[in-house]
Amino acid sequence: MKLALCVAIVSTLFGVQLAQAACPNDAVFLALQDQIRGYSLRANGATEPCQVLQGPLTTLETAGPMVISKNHFFHVAQFLTNSTVDIFPRKAEGNEAPSRSFMLTMTNDLLSIAVDSYLNDFVLSVRPSEAGVYVVPNNSSGPLANPIHLTDPNVIQYASVAVDNEDNLLIAGYDIRGAAIIDTFGTSRNITSPPLLRSLTGSKTGLLPGAGVFARSNMTLAVDPGTDELFVYNATNDLTQIQVSVFAAKANGDVPPVRTISGPATGISGPSAPGGNKIAISSDGRLFVSEPNLRILAFAPGARGNVAPSQVIEDSTPGPVTQGGIAVRSRGGRQDDGNDDAAR
């Protein structure tokens, strides 16, 4: 009886039922304010999370943009509350402290994050006086007073970052005219002063204008880990137009997307809360979209047009209704060696 009572108390710690074991290898995760929740990639319909990370030891307060490293660690940036990026191991669960954290003491407007295969973090700040991408070397921890700071002269308002399969940095934002632009910098060649490799912009891209709203994720990037195709969630300021545009790998100049997913049947709605990336891609090419009320839309590889999602994952347990960052862990990446600081 005492044992059963203890289990019941632990399973409802912090008001949410905790999973009994970490999620399977193939899983999708949401960063939701003070917690991270995970679900099997096979889930469909009402489901309970297979992994919940929540509690005071996590230090999560306003978890937003999130990415999973090649070694399967969670890298979670917090928006506004503090300037912290927390790193958790793959099986982190319950009230577990991060394995390490670093702080960008010069800014707390952390809108997007990416990690390369060397486990360097690229953290996007949109605070006007410190806007740009901060490059944080692998194994950094504690306050960082003077990290590498990269800026894009073509961008007036920053929106999102990603890293392609060659470890080059993509920076998305809006130019002085309010037009969308996605620049690729050769951080694989030089991480402190990378050359501009490609610039995707122009009327043929079909990317929607969205400048003028500070720190709203009107445009977020995700790269297909298998094909290197670029997925771009983009929306107008008034949210009358919302779409996911898919571009060929290394798309450059004023070129059209290979396909676009948009329309009422998709169920794709407005941007995530400030600091929350909207989309993620699995190794088999499925698109996962974060939505309010603990919902995740999944689209089959090659989906296009006004098409319904192939899966809708709906968390059946209570939790935050606002949508946050999303990240996918799936086969095809580097094997988890249990050490996020073991760079290539």
Side-chain angles (χ1 to χ4, degrees):
M1 181 67 70
K2 290 183 178 180
L3 178 59
L5 179 60
C6 180
V7 170
I9 293 172
V10 171
S11 66
T12 56
L13 187 63
F14 305 110
V16 62
Q17 183 173 353
L18 299 183
Q20 300 303 309
C23 286
N25 288 333
D26 294 347
V28 57
F29 297 85
L30 294 176
L32 300 157
Q33 298 177 4
D34 65 344
Q35 60 193 267
I36 296 172
R37 295 188 178 198
Y39 313 88
S40 168
L41 286 188
R42 296 181 179 181
N44 196 13
T47 186
E48 293 186 1
C50 50
Q51 193 169 338
V52 178
L53 179 63
Q54 183 186 19
L57 292 181
T58 68
T59 74
L60 296 174
E61 298 179 55
T62 53
M66 175 175 59
V67 67
I68 295 176
S69 73
K70 294 296 181 68
N71 285 24
H72 299 165
F73 277 55
F74 302 96
H75 292 233
V76 188
Q78 303 203 52
F79 183 78
L80 284 184
T81 300
N82 54 50
S83 58
T84 302
V85 174
D86 293 314
I87 293 90
F88 298 92
R90 168 186 168 180
K91 295 183 179 180
E93 191 169 24
N95 186 23
E96 183 172 334
S99 58
R100 64 183 174 93
S101 301
F102 62 82
M103 289 158 280
L104 296 169
T105 58
M106 70 296 299
T107 180
N108 63 0
D109 295 330
L110 309 182
L111 192 66
S112 184
I113 185 171
V115 181
D116 68 11
S117 66
Y118 295 92
L119 308 180
N120 301 305
D121 286 275
F122 298 86
V123 186
L124 177 66
S125 169
V126 293
R127 179 180 290 182
S129 57
E130 293 93 15
V133 180
Y134 290 90
V135 183
V136 181
N138 172 30
N139 205 28
S140 297
S141 62
L144 306 178
N146 192 29
I148 299 166
H149 186 210
L150 304 179
T151 58
D152 185 342
N154 297 321
V155 171
I156 300 300
Q157 181 179 338
Y158 292 90
S160 183
V161 293
V163 171
D164 69 15
N165 292 350
E166 296 180 352
D167 283 331
N168 296 312
L169 174 66
L170 286 74
I171 300 177
Y174 304 96
D175 66 15
I176 195 169
R177 302 164 300 156
I181 183 169
I182 303 170
D183 286 340
T184 302
F185 291 88
T187 45
S188 62
R189 305 178 187 181
N190 188 324
I191 204 166
T192 60
S193 184
L196 177 63
L197 302 181
R198 295 179 291 277
S199 187
L200 180 63
T201 189
S203 59
K204 293 180 183 178
T205 68
L207 293 172
L208 304 170
V213 178
F214 173 74
R216 194 171 79 177
S217 303
N218 281 20
M219 180 163 52
T220 59
L221 306 179
V223 174
D224 188 316
T227 66
D228 217 22
E229 284 185 318
L230 173 62
F231 287 68
V232 186
Y233 167 87
N234 53 127
T236 54
N237 284 344
D238 60 7
L239 304 184
T240 56
Q241 292 178 271
I242 298 171
Q243 63 192 27
V244 175
S245 309
V246 185
F247 294 90
K250 298 181 176 63
N252 186 29
D254 188 6
V255 296
V258 294
R259 62 186 185 277
T260 301
I261 303 168
S262 65
T266 68
I268 301 173
S269 68
S272 298
N277 53 305
K278 179 80 174 178
I279 58 174
I281 315 299
S282 64
S283 59
D284 64 358
R286 280 184 288 167
L287 166 67
F288 290 82
V289 184
S290 170
E291 290 292 331
N293 299 309
L294 302 172
R295 297 174 70 247
I296 300 172
L297 310 179
F299 294 86
R304 65 176 64 226
N306 184 23
V307 60
S310 56
Q311 295 167 253
V312 179
I313 302 172
E314 300 183 85
D315 195 323
S316 59
T317 64
V321 296
T322 56
Q323 62 198 98
I326 186 170
V328 169
R329 182 182 70 221
S330 56
R331 294 179 180 87
R334 178 180 303 177
Q335 292 299 310
D336 181 9
D337 61 7
N339 180 10
D340 189 56
D341 297 326
R344 186 175 65 183

